[in-house]
Amino acid sequence: MPELAEKAGITVRTLRFYRERKLLPPPRREGRIAWYNDHHLARLRTIAALLERGHTLGGIAELFAAFESGRRDVGELLGLPGAAASWPAETPVRLRPEALADYFQGEVTPENLSTSLDLGYLAVDGDEIVHLSRRLLDVSHTLVEQGVPLAAVLGAAREVREHVDAIAETFVTLLRAHVLADAVKRGEDVGETVERLRPLATSVVDAELTMAMNRRMRAELGETPPKGGSTGNK
């Protein structure tokens, strides 16, 4: 806990207070040891940013509850004009616990539920469970149907998140250095600028992933690349 508080720039006493107010998800526990992760740090930094914008702790708690229940107007609640239009959100899915268990063929174990909550994929809202993304839910379901254990799917998801966070940082740094500053000087809306350029990042990632998958599969199968470089690989 002291390490997390130090990284967030707050006191341990403040961290405990946030936990008591339910502003921070509970840590993962192993015996008497509590484990915090980057999700907790991100939540603390969000709280700090909202406090700077003039929100009260009670209001912040309501905002988090709105987000976790899948409300689409959270950007407006946070005081970010045009946020809902500029920053596309995944479509959340609300499920009864038994429906979620059936969806994953009995693999919804306490361990897998804990991992999903830790990743932020799931949130509890009354008697229902909210999955943050229809696309991720469907992909996970398909992989389980193909014989991949849900625990392995969630483990891969954690690794993918680390990589895409790094990719996102690369593109944000690129835009910040070469585009956003000039856009601000010209009086352009930064959100609209990012939204206009975001598909370019998506296209690059999709193309690079396709080529990487091709390289990996050919290596697995012992095949040689086709002549002419039709896939763009070298």
Side-chain angles (χ1 to χ4, degrees), residues 195-213:
E195 175 61 12
R196 186 178 73 250
L197 297 176
R198 184 182 57 82
L200 301 180
T202 303
S203 296
V204 170
V205 172
D206 184 61
E208 287 288 354
L209 179 60
T210 297
M211 292 189 291
M213 289 289 290

Side-chain angles (χ1 to χ4, degrees), residues 25 39 43 63-71 94 123-125 130:
H39 177 67
R43 175 64 69 92
L63 291 171
F64 287 152
F67 175 76
E68 290 167 356
S69 64
R71 286 180 58 179
R94 305 179 74 87
V124 178
D125 183 26
V130 181

Side-chain angles (χ1 to χ4, degrees), residues 97-110 112 141 144 150:
E98 56 270 19
L100 182 67
D102 291 342
Y103 203 62
F104 287 102
Q105 304 173 5
E107 289 208 36
V108 181
T109 63
N112 287 338
H141 171 64
V144 170
L150 182 56

